[in-house]
Amino acid sequence: AQKVTQAQTEISVVEKEDVTLDCVYETRDTTYYLFWYKQPPSGELVFLIRRNSFDEQNEISGRYSWNFQKSTSSFNFTITASQVVDSAVYFCALSEGGAAGNKLTFGGGTRVLVKP
Amino acid sequence: EAGVAQSPRYKIIEKRQSVAFWCNPISGHATLYWYQQILGQGPKLLIQFQNNGVVDDSQLPKDRFSAERLKGVDSTLKIQPAKLEDSAVYLCASSLFSRSTDTQYFGPGTRLTVL
């Protein structure tokens, strides 16, 4: 069975600091997809990024970057130069390929508090 | 493009009462999902529809929860009778199809409080 673990329950930073969120996953599939979602206080889950298991290239998109390492089953997410608007709960999620379709398994979430 | 719409946003009921939630997915999205998110946890899938057929309802408590997606567009999720432990946010999501490559987009959720 697939599982996603976010060990950090809450992170507090001061504005402009970088913040890195850890995500470790378990799956038996060789084809799978990893996601990060943001949940601001309004409650809506906002899609941020998606990565497939065949592409370990790390990328940067604006102030977001991610580090995917298959060898350690980790998919970490970094916010550079954090802003108050980044305060939210961030969820890592996994979907397996094949017959499982795109069923998402979420981690428990990491609450990020950015102080001015 | 309009996102996933849900109503109501908030609902307070007493235990043993019934409640229904409504979801309208993104136009053209064939797949619709209902998730339950208990405070402090990640969302958990309750049921997944492909058009108007059920793909996965393995985690739906069928003795009290029911869902339908008539005509393959809007969906309703019902709880009857509600229990205290049903207090949660109920999130609806949709995706183009059910392929692994299809990203799920979420609505604002309905926060249910059962007293």
mmCIF file of all heavy atoms in Angstrom, chain B residues 13-58:
data_model
loop_
_atom_site.group_PDB
_atom_site.id
_atom_site.type_symbol
_atom_site.label_atom_id
_atom_site.label_comp_id
_atom_site.label_asym_id
_atom_site.label_seq_id
_atom_site.Cartn_x
_atom_site.Cartn_y
_atom_site.Cartn_z
ATOM 1 N N ILE B 13 -25.096 20.785 12.161
ATOM 2 C CA ILE B 13 -26.266 19.955 12.409
ATOM 3 C C ILE B 13 -26.074 19.215 13.722
ATOM 4 O O ILE B 13 -24.970 19.178 14.281
ATOM 5 C CB ILE B 13 -26.511 18.934 11.274
ATOM 6 C CG1 ILE B 13 -25.322 17.968 11.150
ATOM 7 C CG2 ILE B 13 -26.780 19.641 9.961
ATOM 8 C CD1 ILE B 13 -25.557 16.829 10.179
ATOM 9 N N GLU B 14 -27.153 18.616 14.189
ATOM 10 C CA GLU B 14 -27.055 17.784 15.379
ATOM 11 C C GLU B 14 -26.912 16.328 14.942
ATOM 12 O O GLU B 14 -27.332 15.950 13.836
ATOM 13 C CB GLU B 14 -28.288 17.972 16.259
ATOM 14 C CG GLU B 14 -28.376 19.393 16.808
ATOM 15 C CD GLU B 14 -29.433 19.540 17.875
ATOM 16 O OE1 GLU B 14 -30.234 18.619 18.063
ATOM 17 O OE2 GLU B 14 -29.461 20.615 18.526
ATOM 18 N N LYS B 15 -26.316 15.542 15.824
ATOM 19 C CA LYS B 15 -26.131 14.119 15.473
ATOM 20 C C LYS B 15 -27.483 13.479 15.203
ATOM 21 O O LYS B 15 -28.497 13.882 15.748
ATOM 22 C CB LYS B 15 -25.388 13.376 16.579
ATOM 23 C CG LYS B 15 -26.053 13.392 17.917
ATOM 24 C CD LYS B 15 -25.170 12.669 18.946
ATOM 25 C CE LYS B 15 -25.853 12.700 20.305
ATOM 26 N NZ LYS B 15 -24.990 12.095 21.364
ATOM 27 N N ARG B 16 -27.451 12.528 14.305
ATOM 28 C CA ARG B 16 -28.608 11.772 13.830
ATOM 29 C C ARG B 16 -29.409 12.532 12.773
ATOM 30 O O ARG B 16 -30.321 11.950 12.189
ATOM 31 C CB ARG B 16 -29.519 11.311 14.963
ATOM 32 C CG ARG B 16 -28.886 10.241 15.843
ATOM 33 C CD ARG B 16 -29.893 9.674 16.825
ATOM 34 N NE ARG B 16 -30.203 10.620 17.895
ATOM 35 C CZ ARG B 16 -29.501 10.741 19.009
ATOM 36 N NH1 ARG B 16 -28.440 9.995 19.207
ATOM 37 N NH2 ARG B 16 -29.856 11.612 19.929
ATOM 38 N N GLN B 17 -29.062 13.793 12.516
ATOM 39 C CA GLN B 17 -29.727 14.500 11.419
ATOM 40 C C GLN B 17 -29.085 14.114 10.089
ATOM 41 O O GLN B 17 -28.047 13.460 10.045
ATOM 42 C CB GLN B 17 -29.632 16.015 11.631
ATOM 43 C CG GLN B 17 -30.562 16.544 12.704
ATOM 44 C CD GLN B 17 -30.562 18.066 12.768
ATOM 45 O OE1 GLN B 17 -29.539 18.717 12.571
ATOM 46 N NE2 GLN B 17 -31.726 18.644 13.065
ATOM 47 N N SER B 18 -29.723 14.544 9.016
ATOM 48 C CA SER B 18 -29.208 14.292 7.669
ATOM 49 C C SER B 18 -28.644 15.580 7.094
ATOM 50 O O SER B 18 -29.054 16.681 7.471
ATOM 51 C CB SER B 18 -30.337 13.798 6.766
ATOM 52 O OG SER B 18 -30.929 12.648 7.290
ATOM 53 N N VAL B 19 -27.709 15.403 6.150
ATOM 54 C CA VAL B 19 -27.120 16.575 5.500
ATOM 55 C C VAL B 19 -26.699 16.184 4.088
ATOM 56 O O VAL B 19 -26.395 15.011 3.820
ATOM 57 C CB VAL B 19 -25.905 17.093 6.308
ATOM 58 C CG1 VAL B 19 -24.784 16.077 6.356
ATOM 59 C CG2 VAL B 19 -25.424 18.431 5.782
ATOM 60 N N ALA B 20 -26.727 17.157 3.196
ATOM 61 C CA ALA B 20 -26.316 16.905 1.810
ATOM 62 C C ALA B 20 -25.422 18.036 1.336
ATOM 63 O O ALA B 20 -25.632 19.206 1.660
ATOM 64 C CB ALA B 20 -27.540 16.789 0.903
ATOM 65 N N PHE B 21 -24.411 17.644 0.552
ATOM 66 C CA PHE B 21 -23.475 18.610 -0.018
ATOM 67 C C PHE B 21 -23.553 18.511 -1.540
ATOM 68 O O PHE B 21 -23.767 17.425 -2.095
ATOM 69 C CB PHE B 21 -22.034 18.305 0.421
ATOM 70 C CG PHE B 21 -21.876 18.046 1.883
ATOM 71 C CD1 PHE B 21 -21.241 16.911 2.334
ATOM 72 C CD2 PHE B 21 -22.361 18.944 2.815
ATOM 73 C CE1 PHE B 21 -21.082 16.669 3.688
ATOM 74 C CE2 PHE B 21 -22.216 18.711 4.161
ATOM 75 C CZ PHE B 21 -21.576 17.566 4.603
ATOM 76 N N TRP B 22 -23.307 19.626 -2.177
ATOM 77 C CA TRP B 22 -23.403 19.678 -3.638
ATOM 78 C C TRP B 22 -22.063 20.101 -4.241
ATOM 79 O O TRP B 22 -21.324 20.909 -3.654
ATOM 80 C CB TRP B 22 -24.505 20.668 -4.030
ATOM 81 C CG TRP B 22 -24.599 20.945 -5.483
ATOM 82 C CD1 TRP B 22 -25.229 20.202 -6.435
ATOM 83 C CD2 TRP B 22 -24.031 22.064 -6.182
ATOM 84 N NE1 TRP B 22 -25.107 20.790 -7.671
ATOM 85 C CE2 TRP B 22 -24.371 21.932 -7.544
ATOM 86 C CE3 TRP B 22 -23.266 23.160 -5.777
ATOM 87 C CZ2 TRP B 22 -23.988 22.853 -8.507
ATOM 88 C CZ3 TRP B 22 -22.886 24.083 -6.733
ATOM 89 C CH2 TRP B 22 -23.241 23.927 -8.079
ATOM 90 N N CYS B 23 -21.749 19.543 -5.414
ATOM 91 C CA CYS B 23 -20.504 19.881 -6.093
ATOM 92 C C CYS B 23 -20.749 20.014 -7.594
ATOM 93 O O CYS B 23 -21.423 19.162 -8.194
ATOM 94 C CB CYS B 23 -19.457 18.801 -5.841
ATOM 95 S SG CYS B 23 -17.934 19.003 -6.810
ATOM 96 N N ASN B 24 -20.181 21.044 -8.174
ATOM 97 C CA ASN B 24 -20.203 21.215 -9.629
ATOM 98 C C ASN B 24 -18.755 21.266 -10.108
ATOM 99 O O ASN B 24 -18.021 22.183 -9.756
ATOM 100 C CB ASN B 24 -20.936 22.505 -10.003
ATOM 101 C CG ASN B 24 -20.995 22.706 -11.504
ATOM 102 O OD1 ASN B 24 -20.439 23.657 -12.046
ATOM 103 N ND2 ASN B 24 -21.667 21.813 -12.189
ATOM 104 N N PRO B 25 -18.314 20.285 -10.894
ATOM 105 C CA PRO B 25 -16.900 20.216 -11.286
ATOM 106 C C PRO B 25 -16.552 21.220 -12.373
ATOM 107 O O PRO B 25 -17.424 21.898 -12.911
ATOM 108 C CB PRO B 25 -16.774 18.787 -11.823
ATOM 109 C CG PRO B 25 -18.136 18.504 -12.398
ATOM 110 C CD PRO B 25 -19.105 19.209 -11.483
ATOM 111 N N ILE B 26 -15.277 21.281 -12.701
ATOM 112 C CA ILE B 26 -14.826 22.108 -13.811
ATOM 113 C C ILE B 26 -15.444 21.565 -15.097
ATOM 114 O O ILE B 26 -15.504 20.343 -15.295
ATOM 115 C CB ILE B 26 -13.292 22.104 -13.895
ATOM 116 C CG1 ILE B 26 -12.712 22.826 -12.667
ATOM 117 C CG2 ILE B 26 -12.809 22.759 -15.177
ATOM 118 C CD1 ILE B 26 -11.202 22.736 -12.546
ATOM 119 N N SER B 27 -15.898 22.466 -15.934
ATOM 120 C CA SER B 27 -16.563 22.071 -17.155
ATOM 121 C C SER B 27 -15.676 21.149 -17.996
ATOM 122 O O SER B 27 -14.496 21.432 -18.218
ATOM 123 C CB SER B 27 -16.910 23.324 -17.971
ATOM 124 O OG SER B 27 -17.503 22.978 -19.193
ATOM 125 N N GLY B 28 -16.251 20.028 -18.418
ATOM 126 C CA GLY B 28 -15.514 19.095 -19.267
ATOM 127 C C GLY B 28 -14.749 18.025 -18.513
ATOM 128 O O GLY B 28 -14.191 17.113 -19.127
ATOM 129 N N HIS B 29 -14.705 18.136 -17.197
ATOM 130 C CA HIS B 29 -13.994 17.122 -16.411
ATOM 131 C C HIS B 29 -14.887 15.907 -16.196
ATOM 132 O O HIS B 29 -15.978 16.001 -15.653
ATOM 133 C CB HIS B 29 -13.563 17.704 -15.064
ATOM 134 C CG HIS B 29 -12.330 18.527 -15.146
ATOM 135 N ND1 HIS B 29 -11.604 18.904 -14.038
ATOM 136 C CD2 HIS B 29 -11.670 19.023 -16.213
ATOM 137 C CE1 HIS B 29 -10.549 19.600 -14.414
ATOM 138 N NE2 HIS B 29 -10.579 19.701 -15.736
ATOM 139 N N ALA B 30 -14.361 14.756 -16.610
ATOM 140 C CA ALA B 30 -15.154 13.532 -16.537
ATOM 141 C C ALA B 30 -15.108 12.889 -15.153
ATOM 142 O O ALA B 30 -15.998 12.141 -14.790
ATOM 143 C CB ALA B 30 -14.654 12.534 -17.583
ATOM 144 N N THR B 31 -14.043 13.168 -14.415
ATOM 145 C CA THR B 31 -13.848 12.480 -13.138
ATOM 146 C C THR B 31 -14.095 13.427 -11.971
ATOM 147 O O THR B 31 -13.622 14.562 -11.972
ATOM 148 C CB THR B 31 -12.433 11.906 -13.054
ATOM 149 O OG1 THR B 31 -12.190 11.125 -14.227
ATOM 150 C CG2 THR B 31 -12.291 11.004 -11.834
ATOM 151 N N LEU B 32 -14.833 12.937 -10.992
ATOM 152 C CA LEU B 32 -15.181 13.741 -9.815
ATOM 153 C C LEU B 32 -14.890 12.928 -8.560
ATOM 154 O O LEU B 32 -15.106 11.711 -8.532
ATOM 155 C CB LEU B 32 -16.662 14.129 -9.870
ATOM 156 C CG LEU B 32 -17.200 15.052 -8.769
ATOM 157 C CD1 LEU B 32 -18.293 15.968 -9.344
ATOM 158 C CD2 LEU B 32 -17.718 14.277 -7.582
ATOM 159 N N TYR B 33 -14.386 13.604 -7.540
ATOM 160 C CA TYR B 33 -13.978 12.959 -6.297
ATOM 161 C C TYR B 33 -14.604 13.682 -5.101
ATOM 162 O O TYR B 33 -14.746 14.909 -5.116
ATOM 163 C CB TYR B 33 -12.455 13.032 -6.111
ATOM 164 C CG TYR B 33 -11.631 12.739 -7.333
ATOM 165 C CD1 TYR B 33 -11.496 13.675 -8.349
ATOM 166 C CD2 TYR B 33 -10.956 11.531 -7.459
ATOM 167 C CE1 TYR B 33 -10.724 13.419 -9.472
ATOM 168 C CE2 TYR B 33 -10.175 11.266 -8.569
ATOM 169 C CZ TYR B 33 -10.071 12.217 -9.568
ATOM 170 O OH TYR B 33 -9.305 11.951 -10.666
ATOM 171 N N TRP B 34 -14.895 12.908 -4.082
ATOM 172 C CA TRP B 34 -15.243 13.462 -2.782
ATOM 173 C C TRP B 34 -14.202 12.987 -1.769
ATOM 174 O O TRP B 34 -13.906 11.794 -1.673
ATOM 175 C CB TRP B 34 -16.624 12.991 -2.322
ATOM 176 C CG TRP B 34 -17.776 13.666 -2.993
ATOM 177 C CD1 TRP B 34 -18.554 13.178 -4.008
ATOM 178 C CD2 TRP B 34 -18.302 14.958 -2.672
ATOM 179 N NE1 TRP B 34 -19.516 14.090 -4.336
ATOM 180 C CE2 TRP B 34 -19.393 15.187 -3.544
ATOM 181 C CE3 TRP B 34 -17.971 15.953 -1.740
ATOM 182 C CZ2 TRP B 34 -20.139 16.366 -3.501
ATOM 183 C CZ3 TRP B 34 -18.715 17.116 -1.710
ATOM 184 C CH2 TRP B 34 -19.797 17.310 -2.568
ATOM 185 N N TYR B 35 -13.656 13.960 -1.027
ATOM 186 C CA TYR B 35 -12.692 13.670 0.013
ATOM 187 C C TYR B 35 -13.241 14.140 1.356
ATOM 188 O O TYR B 35 -13.965 15.139 1.436
ATOM 189 C CB TYR B 35 -11.374 14.414 -0.234
ATOM 190 C CG TYR B 35 -10.513 13.887 -1.351
ATOM 191 C CD1 TYR B 35 -10.758 14.248 -2.675
ATOM 192 C CD2 TYR B 35 -9.451 13.036 -1.080
ATOM 193 C CE1 TYR B 35 -9.953 13.775 -3.699
ATOM 194 C CE2 TYR B 35 -8.640 12.565 -2.102
ATOM 195 C CZ TYR B 35 -8.900 12.937 -3.399
ATOM 196 O OH TYR B 35 -8.101 12.459 -4.403
ATOM 197 N N GLN B 36 -12.821 13.456 2.408
ATOM 198 C CA GLN B 36 -13.108 13.889 3.771
ATOM 199 C C GLN B 36 -11.787 14.320 4.407
ATOM 200 O O GLN B 36 -10.804 13.576 4.357
ATOM 201 C CB GLN B 36 -13.722 12.739 4.581
ATOM 202 C CG GLN B 36 -14.041 13.115 6.029
ATOM 203 C CD GLN B 36 -14.377 11.889 6.866
ATOM 204 O OE1 GLN B 36 -13.584 10.970 6.992
ATOM 205 N NE2 GLN B 36 -15.576 11.877 7.450
ATOM 206 N N GLN B 37 -11.764 15.510 5.000
ATOM 207 C CA GLN B 37 -10.557 15.986 5.658
ATOM 208 C C GLN B 37 -10.887 16.336 7.108
ATOM 209 O O GLN B 37 -11.504 17.360 7.400
ATOM 210 C CB GLN B 37 -9.975 17.214 4.950
ATOM 211 C CG GLN B 37 -8.643 17.644 5.540
ATOM 212 C CD GLN B 37 -8.032 18.844 4.857
ATOM 213 O OE1 GLN B 37 -8.704 19.587 4.139
ATOM 214 N NE2 GLN B 37 -6.740 19.047 5.045
ATOM 215 N N ILE B 38 -10.448 15.457 7.988
ATOM 216 C CA ILE B 38 -10.618 15.691 9.423
ATOM 217 C C ILE B 38 -9.556 16.673 9.870
ATOM 218 O O ILE B 38 -8.431 16.664 9.342
ATOM 219 C CB ILE B 38 -10.539 14.361 10.183
ATOM 220 C CG1 ILE B 38 -11.753 13.501 9.822
ATOM 221 C CG2 ILE B 38 -10.448 14.573 11.683
ATOM 222 C CD1 ILE B 38 -11.720 12.101 10.349
ATOM 223 N N LEU B 39 -9.890 17.507 10.825
ATOM 224 C CA LEU B 39 -8.993 18.558 11.295
ATOM 225 C C LEU B 39 -7.610 18.016 11.636
ATOM 226 O O LEU B 39 -7.476 17.042 12.379
ATOM 227 C CB LEU B 39 -9.601 19.244 12.521
ATOM 228 C CG LEU B 39 -8.866 20.467 13.044
ATOM 229 C CD1 LEU B 39 -8.917 21.589 12.019
ATOM 230 C CD2 LEU B 39 -9.457 20.927 14.376
ATOM 231 N N GLY B 40 -6.585 18.622 11.041
ATOM 232 C CA GLY B 40 -5.217 18.224 11.336
ATOM 233 C C GLY B 40 -4.702 17.054 10.517
ATOM 234 O O GLY B 40 -3.574 16.597 10.738
ATOM 235 N N GLN B 41 -5.515 16.567 9.560
ATOM 236 C CA GLN B 41 -5.104 15.428 8.733
ATOM 237 C C GLN B 41 -5.162 15.800 7.253
ATOM 238 O O GLN B 41 -5.744 16.817 6.871
ATOM 239 C CB GLN B 41 -6.024 14.235 9.003
ATOM 240 C CG GLN B 41 -5.995 13.739 10.443
ATOM 241 C CD GLN B 41 -6.912 12.551 10.646
ATOM 242 O OE1 GLN B 41 -7.329 11.884 9.696
ATOM 243 N NE2 GLN B 41 -7.225 12.255 11.896
ATOM 244 N N GLY B 42 -4.569 14.938 6.455
ATOM 245 C CA GLY B 42 -4.683 15.111 5.017
ATOM 246 C C GLY B 42 -6.014 14.574 4.522
ATOM 247 O O GLY B 42 -6.672 13.776 5.202
ATOM 248 N N PRO B 43 -6.449 14.999 3.353
ATOM 249 C CA PRO B 43 -7.718 14.508 2.807
ATOM 250 C C PRO B 43 -7.680 13.003 2.552
ATOM 251 O O PRO B 43 -6.634 12.455 2.200
ATOM 252 C CB PRO B 43 -7.854 15.274 1.484
ATOM 253 C CG PRO B 43 -6.964 16.455 1.632
ATOM 254 C CD PRO B 43 -5.839 16.013 2.491
ATOM 255 N N LYS B 44 -8.830 12.377 2.709
ATOM 256 C CA LYS B 44 -8.975 10.954 2.450
ATOM 257 C C LYS B 44 -10.097 10.758 1.431
ATOM 258 O O LYS B 44 -11.193 11.282 1.605
ATOM 259 C CB LYS B 44 -9.302 10.195 3.744
ATOM 260 C CG LYS B 44 -9.455 8.696 3.585
ATOM 261 C CD LYS B 44 -9.930 8.049 4.866
ATOM 262 C CE LYS B 44 -11.415 8.187 5.023
ATOM 263 N NZ LYS B 44 -11.963 7.434 6.184
ATOM 264 N N LEU B 45 -9.797 9.999 0.383
ATOM 265 C CA LEU B 45 -10.787 9.787 -0.670
ATOM 266 C C LEU B 45 -11.970 8.978 -0.156
ATOM 267 O O LEU B 45 -11.793 7.918 0.442
ATOM 268 C CB LEU B 45 -10.148 9.056 -1.846
ATOM 269 C CG LEU B 45 -11.076 8.760 -3.023
ATOM 270 C CD1 LEU B 45 -11.469 10.046 -3.733
ATOM 271 C CD2 LEU B 45 -10.420 7.791 -4.000
ATOM 272 N N LEU B 46 -13.179 9.486 -0.395
ATOM 273 C CA LEU B 46 -14.389 8.735 -0.065
ATOM 274 C C LEU B 46 -14.920 7.996 -1.283
ATOM 275 O O LEU B 46 -15.243 6.817 -1.217
ATOM 276 C CB LEU B 46 -15.477 9.692 0.458
ATOM 277 C CG LEU B 46 -15.230 10.335 1.819
ATOM 278 C CD1 LEU B 46 -16.342 11.337 2.125
ATOM 279 C CD2 LEU B 46 -15.140 9.275 2.905
ATOM 280 N N ILE B 47 -15.028 8.712 -2.411
ATOM 281 C CA ILE B 47 -15.607 8.118 -3.595
ATOM 282 C C ILE B 47 -15.100 8.844 -4.830
ATOM 283 O O ILE B 47 -14.825 10.044 -4.780
ATOM 284 C CB ILE B 47 -17.150 8.140 -3.535
ATOM 285 C CG1 ILE B 47 -17.778 7.337 -4.680
ATOM 286 C CG2 ILE B 47 -17.683 9.569 -3.516
ATOM 287 C CD1 ILE B 47 -19.273 7.068 -4.493
ATOM 288 N N GLN B 48 -14.947 8.083 -5.916
ATOM 289 C CA GLN B 48 -14.494 8.627 -7.189
ATOM 290 C C GLN B 48 -15.462 8.196 -8.277
ATOM 291 O O GLN B 48 -15.796 7.000 -8.388
ATOM 292 C CB GLN B 48 -13.085 8.124 -7.510
ATOM 293 C CG GLN B 48 -12.544 8.554 -8.864
ATOM 294 C CD GLN B 48 -11.128 8.052 -9.114
ATOM 295 O OE1 GLN B 48 -10.460 7.574 -8.207
ATOM 296 N NE2 GLN B 48 -10.671 8.169 -10.355
ATOM 297 N N PHE B 49 -15.918 9.158 -9.079
ATOM 298 C CA PHE B 49 -16.810 8.898 -10.207
ATOM 299 C C PHE B 49 -16.071 9.134 -11.522
ATOM 300 O O PHE B 49 -15.291 10.071 -11.644
ATOM 301 C CB PHE B 49 -18.011 9.857 -10.201
ATOM 302 C CG PHE B 49 -18.985 9.661 -9.094
ATOM 303 C CD1 PHE B 49 -18.894 10.411 -7.928
ATOM 304 C CD2 PHE B 49 -20.022 8.747 -9.205
ATOM 305 C CE1 PHE B 49 -19.813 10.252 -6.900
ATOM 306 C CE2 PHE B 49 -20.949 8.580 -8.199
ATOM 307 C CZ PHE B 49 -20.849 9.336 -7.029
ATOM 308 N N GLN B 50 -16.351 8.300 -12.494
ATOM 309 C CA GLN B 50 -15.938 8.548 -13.864
ATOM 310 C C GLN B 50 -17.244 8.702 -14.637
ATOM 311 O O GLN B 50 -17.997 7.739 -14.778
ATOM 312 C CB GLN B 50 -15.111 7.375 -14.414
ATOM 313 C CG GLN B 50 -14.742 7.495 -15.873
ATOM 314 C CD GLN B 50 -13.611 8.481 -16.128
ATOM 315 O OE1 GLN B 50 -12.887 8.871 -15.208
ATOM 316 N NE2 GLN B 50 -13.452 8.884 -17.365
ATOM 317 N N ASN B 51 -17.496 9.931 -15.113
ATOM 318 C CA ASN B 51 -18.821 10.269 -15.640
ATOM 319 C C ASN B 51 -19.850 9.966 -14.546
ATOM 320 O O ASN B 51 -19.718 10.468 -13.452
ATOM 321 C CB ASN B 51 -19.075 9.549 -16.952
ATOM 322 C CG ASN B 51 -18.099 10.013 -18.015
ATOM 323 O OD1 ASN B 51 -17.914 11.212 -18.226
ATOM 324 N ND2 ASN B 51 -17.415 9.085 -18.663
ATOM 325 N N ASN B 52 -20.848 9.132 -14.792
ATOM 326 C CA ASN B 52 -21.808 8.877 -13.722
ATOM 327 C C ASN B 52 -21.630 7.498 -13.091
ATOM 328 O O ASN B 52 -22.492 7.039 -12.344
ATOM 329 C CB ASN B 52 -23.238 9.065 -14.220
ATOM 330 C CG ASN B 52 -23.555 8.140 -15.380
ATOM 331 O OD1 ASN B 52 -22.677 7.479 -15.907
ATOM 332 N ND2 ASN B 52 -24.819 8.084 -15.772
ATOM 333 N N GLY B 53 -20.493 6.851 -13.368
ATOM 334 C CA GLY B 53 -20.210 5.553 -12.777
ATOM 335 C C GLY B 53 -19.191 5.642 -11.657
ATOM 336 O O GLY B 53 -18.298 6.487 -11.689
ATOM 337 N N VAL B 54 -19.334 4.778 -10.647
ATOM 338 C CA VAL B 54 -18.419 4.773 -9.514
ATOM 339 C C VAL B 54 -17.153 3.984 -9.856
ATOM 340 O O VAL B 54 -17.223 2.839 -10.303
ATOM 341 C CB VAL B 54 -19.091 4.146 -8.274
ATOM 342 C CG1 VAL B 54 -18.084 4.035 -7.125
ATOM 343 C CG2 VAL B 54 -20.291 4.974 -7.843
ATOM 344 N N VAL B 55 -15.988 4.629 -9.662
ATOM 345 C CA VAL B 55 -14.702 3.975 -9.909
ATOM 346 C C VAL B 55 -14.168 3.355 -8.624
ATOM 347 O O VAL B 55 -13.644 2.247 -8.624
ATOM 348 C CB VAL B 55 -13.677 4.986 -10.455
ATOM 349 C CG1 VAL B 55 -12.300 4.348 -10.571
ATOM 350 C CG2 VAL B 55 -14.131 5.535 -11.794
ATOM 351 N N ASP B 56 -14.310 4.085 -7.516
ATOM 352 C CA ASP B 56 -13.756 3.626 -6.239
ATOM 353 C C ASP B 56 -14.604 4.192 -5.116
ATOM 354 O O ASP B 56 -14.714 5.411 -4.999
ATOM 355 C CB ASP B 56 -12.295 4.086 -6.112
ATOM 356 C CG ASP B 56 -11.606 3.570 -4.843
ATOM 357 O OD1 ASP B 56 -12.288 3.037 -3.952
ATOM 358 O OD2 ASP B 56 -10.369 3.705 -4.761
ATOM 359 N N ASP B 57 -15.199 3.331 -4.319
ATOM 360 C CA ASP B 57 -15.915 3.785 -3.121
ATOM 361 C C ASP B 57 -15.530 2.912 -1.938
ATOM 362 O O ASP B 57 -16.306 2.717 -1.010
ATOM 363 C CB ASP B 57 -17.430 3.795 -3.336
ATOM 364 C CG ASP B 57 -17.992 2.398 -3.598
ATOM 365 O OD1 ASP B 57 -17.208 1.439 -3.700
ATOM 366 O OD2 ASP B 57 -19.228 2.282 -3.719
ATOM 367 N N SER B 58 -14.312 2.393 -1.974
ATOM 368 C CA SER B 58 -13.867 1.453 -0.954
ATOM 369 C C SER B 58 -13.778 2.068 0.443
ATOM 370 O O SER B 58 -13.848 1.351 1.437
ATOM 371 C CB SER B 58 -12.505 0.861 -1.341
ATOM 372 O OG SER B 58 -11.560 1.893 -1.545
#
